[in-house]
Amino acid sequence: MEQTLSIIKPDAVAKGVIGKIIDRFESNGLRIAAAKKMQLSRADAEAFYAVHAARPFFNDLVEFMISGPVFVMVLEGKGAMAKNRDLMGATNPQEAEPGTIRADFADSIDANAVHGSDSVENAANEIKFFFSGREIL
């Protein structure tokens, strides 16, 4: 089974929609293999998003990701990475298809409710960033 990483971001956690977002994943054939709620440190957020360090939005992204708790999950299933990306919708919720997570729960391109791995290779690295092997069931 393919695995991918999903993060419910601080804006969605603050809105109390963790359960609604999880239901979207489970209702569409994705299984939660690991999950935890946590507060990212600045060092965590900077390391996780290091690929974007040279981009103008990097500092705002880090500030946003440390602004409140996040809910991090390993999703598992056939084609998990692509399915998760489809369920999330476009990065900009104004462009997201109706019924996607971002269309329903995100406020802006910055506060866009969820993160999902963008490739199977990145998923493996992102999962290792947050979870040890024994935490994934």
Side-chain angles (χ1 to χ4, degrees):
M1 281 291 142
E2 187 175 282
Q3 293 182 332
T4 193
L5 185 86
S6 176
I7 302 174
I8 300 177
K9 294 181 177 181
D11 57 317
V13 172
K15 288 180 185 175
V17 295
I18 293 172
K20 291 178 181 180
I21 293 173
I22 288 172
D23 182 57
R24 300 278 178 101
F25 297 138
E26 291 182 328
S27 295
N28 285 279
L30 295 173
R31 185 181 80 79
I32 298 172
K36 58 184 162 186
K37 188 175 183 182
M38 62 189 299
Q39 177 70 49
L40 296 177
S41 69
R42 180 174 302 281
D44 290 336
E46 287 174 349
F48 185 74
Y49 287 107
V51 66
H52 299 302
R55 300 186 117 167
F57 61 83
F58 178 73
N59 289 330
D60 289 340
L61 175 60
V62 169
E63 288 297 323
F64 171 64
M65 291 302 291
I66 65 173
S67 68
V70 296
F71 193 80
V72 185
M73 295 170 283
V74 176
L75 301 176
E76 185 175 79
K78 185 176 180 181
M81 192 277 304
K83 187 175 283 189
N84 180 36
R85 299 213 42 98
D86 287 343
L87 292 170
M88 288 190 312
T91 301
N92 183 345
Q94 306 304 323
E95 298 170 2
E97 292 291 323
T100 61
I101 293 167
R102 288 180 172 144
D104 292 344
F105 302 114
D107 294 325
S108 69
I109 195 165
D110 298 316
N112 65 4
V114 286
H115 163 90
S117 302
D118 62 2
S119 70
V120 173
E121 295 78 22
N122 283 345
N125 292 328
E126 291 180 351
I127 289 167
K128 287 177 189 170
F129 185 89
F130 287 105
F131 296 95
S132 70
R134 69 178 183 228
E135 293 178 294
I136 303 169
L137 306 173

